[in-house]
Amino acid sequence: MPQGQATLPAQAYDWVIPRGWRHEDGTVSDGATPRRYNRSGAFEIIVTTSGDTGGTISVRAIDTTCDPNATRTTLATREETRQLPTVCIGSNGAPATIFCGDQTDYGFRADVSGSQPGGRITGYAWSVLGAGWNLTNASAATPTIIPSGTSGATITLVASYERNGFSATLRAPDAVLSYSQQLPTPVFVGSNFDLCLNQRRRYEVRPIRGSVSYRWTATPASLIPGGSATTTVPYLDVTGPNTDATASGQVRVEVSNAAFGCASNSATVNFQIGAGSAILRSSANYYGAVCPYAPVVFEVERANARGQDNYAWYVNG
């Protein structure tokens, strides 16, 4: 500090506190007008918050020795915030896209986080903007929302929150569900679709929501059933042929919903029939003759083998 100057204690402080907060004498602040505390110890004060709003707190030290406004310090400020809970729209697996014919109750719910001690949600207000969608129990934490099956929708949620006599409105981010006129692509369950001779195997896809029919086409014709079949369940039991005349097969499924006029969709799996082929070869085939007491090498040549082979050898003569 330059010579000849001295640090003097402040005789007063001008405080500005957020709107709605109360000064030490009970005066309610307007959030802008400074409140003068005429004491040297007023570098700290005790105020009463409103419980709802935060805002800017500012203070300036005042030297009132000669002139009440002669000397002012630089304004010091800080921001005080009030944390509110957050509310979001949750569900039991609701997709981002609602497919044609889907009228599933996905169990939409209000998910609240960050509530402070003494705080509580006092009410909910749900709304659905979507042609034909059905909303019931709109003031509950878990409403019932049924899609129309013919359109997407925007779901909104507003919650009322109370704490220590303060109330606030909490708005959740909207849940925007798009719409597809085409049914989803069927997905086959499992990874091994190969079929042994006379084996019975179930070819199954994940269920498609809505009143869906499944049209199956199985080839070759030696499969049972071979050709086309229609079911209301998402699977078809197929039995392999009794010969391996055809080494491969295919099952195709097409899903449709005639009641809603949905565009169909399909999926296909290809598979092997039987255990593959086996060719017996020997050194005698190469040389054309076998000498007495000479060794002969026999070998099985496999193609399209499945799993682990076991061999049983028989020699006659």
Side-chain angles (χ1 to χ4, degrees), residues 127-152:
S127 66
V128 178
L129 180 60
W133 285 57
N134 187 13
L135 167 64
T136 56
N137 299 323
S139 60
T142 54
T144 300
I145 301 176
I146 306 298
S148 64
T150 58
S151 70

Side-chain angles (χ1 to χ4, degrees), residues 158-294:
V158 175
S160 298
Y161 176 71
E162 286 186 0
R163 181 170 182 254
N164 298 333
F166 154 72
S167 62
T169 298
L170 312 177
R171 184 179 181 89
D174 294 347
V176 180
L177 307 178
S178 60
Y179 174 73
S180 173
Q181 174 65 20
Q182 186 177 38
L183 293 173
T185 302
V187 177
F188 277 89
V189 177
S191 58
N192 178 20
F193 304 104
D194 291 341
L195 195 62
C196 292
L197 300 182
N198 298 310
Q199 178 188 6
R200 185 179 177 87
R201 179 182 288 279
R202 174 164 290 182
Y203 292 88
E204 183 176 4
V205 295
R206 295 174 185 168
I208 305 295
R209 299 182 186 275
S211 301
V212 175
S213 63
Y214 302 84
R215 180 175 176 82
W216 305 85
T217 303
T219 56
S222 56
L223 298 175
I224 302 173
S228 297
T230 300
T231 67
T232 57
V233 292
Y235 58 82
L236 180 71
D237 291 328
V238 176
T239 302
N242 53 19
T243 67
D244 56 359
T246 303
S248 63
Q250 181 184 91
V251 169
R252 179 179 184 272
V253 61
E254 180 180 11
V255 292
S256 60
N257 188 328
F260 284 83
C262 308
S264 63
N265 214 330
S266 63
T268 301
V269 292
N270 299 295
F271 51 87
Q272 178 181 325
I273 297 176
S277 62
I279 299 175
L280 181 63
R281 300 186 184 279
S282 73
S283 57
N285 296 116
Y286 178 80
Y287 292 107
V290 177
C291 296
Y293 306 108

Side-chain angles (χ1 to χ4, degrees), residues 12 25 31 33 46 48-49 74 79 83 91 97 107 120 124 131 189 192 215 230 235 240 253-254 280 289 299 305:
D25 63 357
T33 305
I46 299 174
T48 303
T49 65
T74 302
E79 291 295 321
Q83 285 286 66
S91 71
T97 298
R120 64 190 184 97
Y124 298 94
V189 177
N192 178 20
R215 180 175 176 82
T230 300
Y235 58 82
V253 61
E254 180 180 11
L280 181 63
E299 179 183 6

